[in-house]
Amino acid sequence: MSGSAGSLRRSHRLPLALTPILGRENALEETGRLLGGTRLLTITGAGGSGKTRLAMELAQRVAGRFERAVWIDLSGIADGKLVASEMLDALGRRESPAAADEELIAEVLRDSRVLLVLDNCEHVVDACASIASGVLRSCGATTIVATTREALGIEGEQIWLVPSLAEGDAVELFVQRARAVDPSFHPEAKLDTIAQICRRLDGIPLAIELAAVRAKVLSVDQIAARLDDAFSLLAVRSRAVARHRTIRETIDWSYRLLPPAEQRLLAALSVFAGGFSLASVSAVCETEGDVLPALSALVDKSLVVAGGGRYRLLETVRQFAAEKLSASGERETVRQRHAQTYFALVERSERRIFAGAVDLAVQGMLDEKIENIRRALDWAAEEPSRFEMEARFLWAIHWYWFARGHFHEARRRICSAVSRMSDDVDPVVRARLCVAAGNAAVWQGDWKALRPSIDEAVGILRPTSNLRALANGLLLLGSAHALAENDHESAREVFELAEDVARRNGRNVALALVLYWAGIAANLRGDGVTARRAFAETHEIGLGQRNLPAIGHGATMLALSHLQEKEYEPAIRHLRAALDAHSETGDVWGLTQAVEGVGLLLLDIGDVGIGTRLIAAASAAWLAVGARPGRTESLEEEKTLRIRQALGDDRLRVVLASGAAMPYEEMVALAREQIGIISKAAAPAPPGLTVRALGALELFCGGSPIDASAQRGRAIELLLFLLFNPAGATKEEIGAALWPDADPAKLRNNFHVTVHRLRKILGGADWIAAEKDVYMLNRSGGVDFDAELFEREVKGALRTGELARIEQALARYRGDLARIPGSGEWLFTFQEQLRELYSDALRTAGRGRMSAGDFAGAAQIYEKLIDADDLDEQAYRNLMTCLGRSGDLSAATRIYRRLARILRRELDTDPDPATTRLHERIVGKADDLPAGD
């Protein structure tokens, strides 16, 4: 063997760990496997994540695969030019070379099977990348493991990011290190708090070890309480801990390597709470040009964590970055941009979350951003000058808290704002905040808190066009009469007014909300007929608009109404529907009330034990979330008496305790299981075939969804053709629509194959009937086709001219008729017919709203009409008129400019002179605007 190889053999020096590695067995297995397929494994991660410790253990485990394993610690190298010399020294070549150092490294390694471990490359990453690239190209038997906060970025590199410790492993590490400094440390009673500490420290081993060292002088609770100032807590100078003596030093090490633009961005990112998106970064963190390169660089350097299109800072990095932001003098400016960004987002979403999780996409988006929304709200609440923003913010977000069951938070934040409200706040803003406070009080059953602030709010809102808020305020006033004052006549009068206002706003969720509480008030005064009618319409509105909260809440109250009359079959059916709807939205209020309904049903049909458990579990859930449904004390007393008589006091105590201890998810699962069992015999069979073709295509057969992979191709096109031709069609007529260019032989083959596939998809040959060469869909099993229902209902409503019926029919139109890839022109013809019918109904509804003086409602309709046909100039004029009459002159101008742009782009023309004159009159604030078309 050459002298170089002999020198190399003498230089074997892997460091030995003094403590066992914890929680990294899976990581060691994966990195060991990766080393079998790559010659450069780069272990990356944030400072303190355990890269060096993992590499030490990995090298020890795989050293047997190599002639030698060489460890090269680069932490002491300040200049990249010295990296090669340090490597040569570690490899045993200490003489002053005449040739370039990199060439000598290749010469030393060329004939040997060597594992090189380059530890701490981030500050000399360019030099390490250059040398590693040369070694990989010149020395085919050499394998490199590099640890660095920033990948080398060269060809052939396999990057592996060190994950945070799992919670159990993190807790074990904390306990082990705490016992090392205090042998008397006994964590048994504090494991939950230790787990909380480990979560706050993001499972970073170094941070956990440094926190655990504090157990010598602080209790576990004291350590947890000091995590908001992690740097002071973790500023430990202990030789027993890792080489990096403080968290601040290890983060500062990375920070000082950043260029100024990345330093500024990292500091600005500290204003975010939890995760954030690229769009949010662009809005909040002002940078020159695109923010993505700098953000990507911070991810590459392990200072920002990325995943699923979102980003976050580790808590210790966030605290460090916050210090830098404060030192820069930009903290308040960036916090203001952050707050304004999330405030604007929530205000844009308000209509789509009013009355709960009515839009699951928006609800999910808010779930993702809620920590930043809370931080923005905190900023708005800090200064009296920001009060109006805070009040508007609370109005916009408070229904989100209802949907997620955050009743305590809603009440606390809103009541705090109300207590600080002064008389100089904009009256409408003040009124809407009072309505939000009233809603939060109702959710918690605090009926006496509703007045007199709701009286004031209703008085302010009456002359305005804010019909949703007014209807909401009136229903709260009616609830106060019914539930706090037992003044049922006044409640009835107020609810009639609330219903009238809500109907002027449209047959939508605001009306459903009024009807729901009007039904409860009717029940309290003993008017079950009116109550059931109100709950039925709530449910119908939900079904018409595919509004899950209205479906679920309406179904629950219908079920309870039927249960009072011992009508078990409809009660079972509605409870199942309520559980399904609320499970999809995660509505805590709705689920708890539906579970309680299942418990009452079980009491009635004789299963008192399980029924009582569910009722007790629901009662515990109401208490836990701080909510209380609207009902009378007499109903509660009657229910308790029935249970006691059935079970006896001794068994009652056991069953109640069992139910109260039941976890929430288990409670819901038990209710669903029980309703499933008792509904098998009682519930009617679902419709044979359900087709939703307006918007996204959805198919259900026998109540079960048809597999998405089957919802394409000619078979489904044939199904739609037969649905649009209920009288049937001949083979030739079907062929001309689906295969217009096929010859007779090909057409026959295509037809029979497609019919066979459709029968298979639908689950039986009986679905396609043939009579005298006419093929049709067999509808005897029941067919629910939304496009057919929409067409029938709209045409009927247009004949009567009834605005409520027209708007109810319009709610079925989820979007244009679904297109099947490769479908024929026949489908396009039906699509255009339905779209024109939709537009006609919108025009009629818009005229009806304008005639009634409801310009805000009419504006919403004309916006939909423009979305359907952006060249309908008359719709633009009507929308401009509505906006002008509502006082929103700037919006009217924006609509006019939008029309002008579209006309120039699409038709190379300008708006009609009549449109231009209307715009000029609106800008001039003329009070003689036309009434519309």
Side-chain angles (χ1 to χ4, degrees), residues 25 113 162 231 248 286-287 335 419 430 462 514 584 592 690 693 738 758 798 802 809 828-829 863 921:
E25 196 57 42
R113 195 166 67 255
V162 178
F231 294 130
R248 187 191 299 277
E286 287 188 350
T287 58
R335 287 186 72 208
S419 70
R430 179 187 183 91
R462 275 182 190 272
V514 168
E584 189 169 342
T592 305
T690 300
L738 272 64
L758 179 56
L798 289 175
E802 294 178 19
F828 180 80
T829 300
E863 285 173 349
R921 290 166 66 191

Side-chain angles (χ1 to χ4, degrees), residues 135-311:
V135 167
L136 293 178
R137 294 179 186 280
S138 304
C139 311
T142 299
T143 295
I144 302 173
V145 172
T147 74
T148 174
R149 297 172 202 176
E150 179 181 5
L152 303 187
I154 62 176
E155 186 178 357
E157 180 180 34
Q158 173 66 60
I159 302 170
W160 193 82
L161 177 66
V162 178
S164 298
L165 285 174
E167 187 170 294
D169 296 320
V171 169
E172 184 179 353
L173 176 62
F174 183 99
V175 172
Q176 184 188 87
R177 296 297 185 263
R179 282 178 174 161
V181 297
D182 179 9
S184 66
F185 181 73
H186 294 293
E188 289 74 15
K190 292 295 181 182
L191 290 178
D192 287 344
T193 306
I194 294 173
Q196 175 195 342
I197 292 169
C198 294
R199 285 194 299 271
R200 285 286 307 277
L201 295 174
D202 298 294
I204 299 298
L206 175 60
I208 292 168
E209 291 189 57
L210 292 170
V213 169
R214 288 295 192 191
K216 188 173 183 179
V217 293
L218 296 174
S219 70
V220 169
D221 289 332
Q222 288 173 324
I223 292 172
R226 285 165 169 75
L227 286 177
D228 286 337
D229 186 8
F231 294 130
S232 295
L233 176 71
L234 307 181
V236 178
R237 300 285 175 178
S238 169
R239 295 183 181 89
V241 187
R243 158 181 62 79
H244 298 294
R245 289 181 297 177
T246 71
I247 285 291
R248 187 191 299 277
E249 288 171 357
T250 192
I251 298 174
D252 191 53
W253 168 269
S254 296
Y255 179 80
R256 284 186 277 110
L257 298 174
L258 300 177
E262 291 172 22
Q263 289 182 343
R264 288 194 299 273
L265 178 59
L266 181 64
L269 292 177
S270 67
V271 301
F272 289 102
F276 46 88
S277 65
L278 176 61
S280 298
V281 175
S282 299
V284 174
C285 307
E286 287 188 350
T287 58
E288 295 181 4
D290 187 4
V291 74
L292 182 59
L295 184 60
S296 299
L298 292 175
V299 172
D300 292 341
K301 293 164 185 173
S302 304
L303 286 166
V304 173
V305 180
R310 290 182 63 75
Y311 307 86

